[in-house]
Amino acid sequence: MSGGGKDAMEEAAAARRFVVIGGGISGLVAAWRLVNQLRPDRSPRERPVEVLVLESSPSVGGKLAVGEVGGVTVDVGAESMLARRPEGVALLKELGLDDDVVHPRAASASVLSRGTLYALPKGTVMGVPVDRTRLRGLAGILDEEEVARVGQESRREVLRVTEDIDVASWVTWRMGRAVVDRLVEPLLGGVYAGNADRLSLRATVPQLWQRARAGRPLLDPAAQPEAAAPQGPVFAGLRGGVGRLPLVLAQKIEDAGGDVRTGVTVRGLTRTERGWRIETGTRDAAATAPGFIDADGVILAVPAPAAAKLLAAEVPVAAAEFGQVETASVAVVAAAIGREQLDGLTGTGLLIPPVERRVIKAATFSSNKWKWVSDETREDNLVVRLSLGRAREETVLQRDDAELSDLAVAELRDVLRREVTPVATRVVRWGGALPQYEVGHLDRVHRIREAVAGVPGLAVCGAVFDGVGIPACIAAADRAVHDLDAGLRIDLRTLVNGPRG
Ligand SMILES: Cc1cc2nc3c(=O)[nH]c(=O)nc-3n(C[C@H](O)[C@H](O)[C@H](O)COP(=O)(O)OP(=O)(O)OC[C@H]3O[C@@H](n4cnc5c(N)ncnc54)[C@H](O)[C@@H]3O)c2cc1C
């Protein structure tokens, strides 16, 4: 395309095709934003011609999925979203799902310590006590000496941290290893399936990183968390399951003129004169001949290992960085259990730190936590979700489904100290599901974004960037669309006006 002026610019814009690779929440949000540019109120110059999502699984959603156990539909992947970040709830509202936004019943979770369950203490950030007025809540989880050590933290000298550090080292130095083992690990394990000895303080607990950088103690004498705490529910869910969200999004994308194709695996990405050539196939590479799709812009919204492969030839610096990101595999065992066996069971669930040497790391009492689940529950069965799997502990998951669910249920029985025999179980495995935000992760993310920014018509998003939670994935998708748009505008201007200088 050569020539100058408005005609060339409009011609170039008119020929635009955007392809989003990966139909998880990140890719679908990116596609939703792009497809909104198809709206007739946008000028032709801003209107992409085609928005295409390519998803390798038979269905969209990635780690957001609903499944059925004992006749009840429940989330078998992500099941809630942080409501104190705006992006998740705002998206639900934007999609017209306001009436289906729900919040967990206000009941607290517990944590297992030395074989006994205790209420999860308040006044903590990712398990780290920050409120000196609430130290009494640590009793039992920590022994007297361990609690006393926490209480003395603010009296000890604090050095200013200048470089990223792992969560365990910092918290151990300030408050003792027991805080890491018994309070931090169960929470970090819940979010990242990771290990406090490797996870980055800066990336996973930014609030505490700020204090460490400023040379302030964790138990800040000046802080008044009670008064300063934001109001409103911490978490939100969706009636019928968070796993409904990608299905609604995909439908909306198609209704707005986009195209969501499942069962299409992207096998290669090659730069062409005007954009990208995408090589497609199916998951079984040998079963189909490759197909090719040309695109002006590509948003890559796949997990880090897939991104590393797809960028290896064209953006090797980014590919190498993606390749360095470790992932943790996890599994969910959903169990339908007779109501009489769980009689009197209160709370939303329990957390189990690795130091307790159990295979299950959490149990969510879904029927207690979510009213919509208890409304759905039939034949007097309640649903409990058991979570398994931590980074570098894949062997636990190598059992077959029956063995894995038997083991998980046996542990639940032990921990609850009551007879539990489910009427039905369902095992859902999430291989390589959670990227590990290890020390230096944010610098890595910066290097990836920098490398990609130098490549016109390409943007990246996904759980590896700004947080693994749903709202963070939405934010990263928004940013990718913005980056792609900005990159293409510059490119287009160069095309029309010729290079500067
Ligand atoms: C068990 C579990 C529970 C969780 N619970 C919560 C929770 O309660 N709250 C919360 O906020 N977060 C939770 N998370 C984290 C959150 O669900 C994920 O971080 C988020 O959904 C990731 O979305 P994504 O779109 O970036 O990636 P993914 O969901 O992984 O989507 C990427 C998609 O790309 C596709 N793909 C990969 N390679 C290719 C290719 N070559 N061609 C085409 N398609 C490809 C994949 O099939 C996949 O569908 C949980 C995660 C897990 C595993």
Side-chain angles (χ1 to χ4, degrees):
M1 282 177 302
S2 56
K6 198 165 162 261
D7 287 352
M9 198 159 168
E10 287 191 355
E11 188 193 311
R16 281 177 174 194
R17 176 189 282 154
F18 292 95
V19 173
V20 177
I21 304 173
I25 187 67
S26 302
L28 291 172
V29 168
W32 173 238
R33 303 297 185 223
L34 288 171
V35 91
N36 275 317
Q37 297 182 3
L38 286 169
R39 286 196 330 245
D41 57 326
R42 294 290 186 107
S43 74
R45 194 157 55 81
E46 289 179 307
R47 231 183 274 160
V49 161
E50 205 182 316
V51 176
L52 190 60
V53 179
L54 302 176
E55 163 55 48
S56 70
S57 308
S59 55
V60 291
K63 274 91 191 182
L64 271 55
V66 285
E68 188 244 278
V69 61
V72 186
T73 299
V74 284
D75 276 307
V76 291
E79 52 120 41
S80 70
M81 58 175 85
L82 205 55
R84 293 219 173 132
R85 274 190 70 142
E87 300 90 343
V89 176
L91 178 69
L92 296 177
K93 291 189 175 164
E94 184 187 335
L95 296 173
L97 294 168
D98 316 39
D99 291 345
D100 287 344
V101 175
V102 290
H103 301 285
R105 285 172 170 156
S108 63
S110 18
V111 61
L112 190 72
S113 187
R114 301 176 175 101
T116 302
L117 287 169
Y118 297 91
L120 207 57
K122 298 204 172 6
T124 66
V125 173
M126 197 57 102
V128 178
V130 293
D131 181 353
R132 60 166 50 260
T133 66
R134 292 180 178 267
L135 296 187
R136 244 176 295 129
L138 308 179
I141 302 172
L142 305 183
D143 65 25
E144 268 180 44
E145 218 174 291
E146 289 161 349
V147 177
R149 165 122 205 238
V150 173
Q152 286 151 16
E153 192 260 350
S154 51
R155 280 185 228 135
R156 263 182 253 122
E157 189 199 359
V158 195
L159 299 177
R160 214 177 271 265
V161 172
T162 52
E163 280 185 16
D164 196 6
I165 183 172
D166 66 275
V167 178
S169 295
W170 184 251
V171 178
T172 299
W173 182 56
R174 299 303 308 160
M175 294 184 158
R177 182 75 205 188
V179 173
V180 174
D181 288 344
R182 306 209 164 268
L183 287 160
V184 177
E185 288 283 20
L187 283 138
L188 274 179
V191 179
Y192 294 94
N195 184 316
D197 288 297
R198 302 182 68 83
L199 292 175
S200 148
L201 184 69
R202 186 177 168 210
T204 64
V205 209
Q207 225 176 310
L208 301 188
W209 160 254
Q210 295 299 346
R211 287 192 189 181
R213 249 167 71 98
R216 286 162 54 204
L218 296 170
L219 273 182
D220 192 339
Q224 292 173 308
E226 272 277 61
Q231 298 302 303
V234 182
F235 293 104
L238 190 62
R239 185 173 293 116
V242 168
R244 271 180 65 209
L245 170 59
L247 307 178
V248 173
L249 254 178
Q251 188 59 54
K252 294 260 182 191
I253 291 166
E254 297 222 309
D255 291 348
D259 185 0
V260 180
R261 295 189 198 161
T262 54
V264 181
T265 299
V266 173
R267 303 215 157 277
L269 267 181
T270 317
R271 277 181 84 174
T272 59
E273 208 172 300
R274 62 160 307 170
W276 295 89
R277 171 151 288 198
I278 299 162
E279 183 186 334
T280 62
T282 58
R283 280 185 162 176
D284 179 1
T288 38
F292 294 94
I293 296 171
D294 288 318
D296 301 78
V298 167
I299 292 186
L300 197 54
V302 297
K309 249 186 247 167
L310 291 176
L311 295 179
E314 299 289 357
V315 200
V317 173
E321 296 287 356
F322 272 121
Q324 293 293 313
V325 178
E326 265 201 44
T327 58
S329 295
V330 298
V332 170
V333 177
I337 300 169
R339 190 180 294 272
E340 71 292 346
Q341 294 192 338
L342 298 179
D343 194 31
L345 187 74
T346 55
T348 51
L350 55 93
L351 299 173
I352 304 178
V355 70
E356 292 293 313
R357 309 224 163 277
R358 298 277 177 188
V359 163
I360 53 172
K361 57 177 187 177
T364 306
F365 308 148
S366 305
S367 308
N368 283 0
K369 183 170 179 180
W370 303 107
K371 183 175 179 300
W372 70 266
V373 177
S374 66
D375 288 348
E376 265 222 16
T377 308
R378 284 184 223 155
E379 295 168 11
D380 267 356
N381 296 324
L382 302 182
V383 176
V384 173
R385 259 175 57 128
L386 302 166
S387 304
L388 299 84
R390 292 189 179 92
R392 301 185 170 202
E393 290 178 19
E394 273 72 18
T395 43
V396 169
L397 304 178
Q398 279 161 7
R399 297 167 167 84
D400 66 27
D401 284 3
E403 248 187 289
L404 201 62
S405 65
D406 284 354
L407 180 62
V409 169
E411 289 201 348
L412 180 69
R413 201 177 287 140
D414 262 13
V415 170
L416 295 180
R417 296 182 189 159
R418 59 167 80 200
E419 178 47 41
V420 175
T421 308
V423 293
T425 57
R426 182 190 181 112
V427 177
V428 180
R429 294 164 191 274
W430 298 104
L434 288 154
Q436 297 299 289
Y437 282 33
E438 296 193 347
V439 175
H441 184 81
L442 295 186
D443 291 333
R444 168 160 295 130
V445 163
H446 180 73
R447 290 194 294 272
I448 293 175
R449 282 194 165 129
E450 225 174 31
V452 169
V455 184
L458 178 69
V460 283
C461 60
V464 81
F465 287 94
D466 302 318
V468 299
I470 295 166
C473 289
I474 296 171
D478 285 345
R479 180 169 170 174
V481 172
H482 176 269
D483 291 350
L484 184 72
D485 223 29
L488 284 176
R489 269 167 210 266
I490 292 165
D491 202 35
L492 210 60
R493 246 180 267 134
T494 316
L495 248 161
V496 175
N497 303 326
R500 281 191 196 163

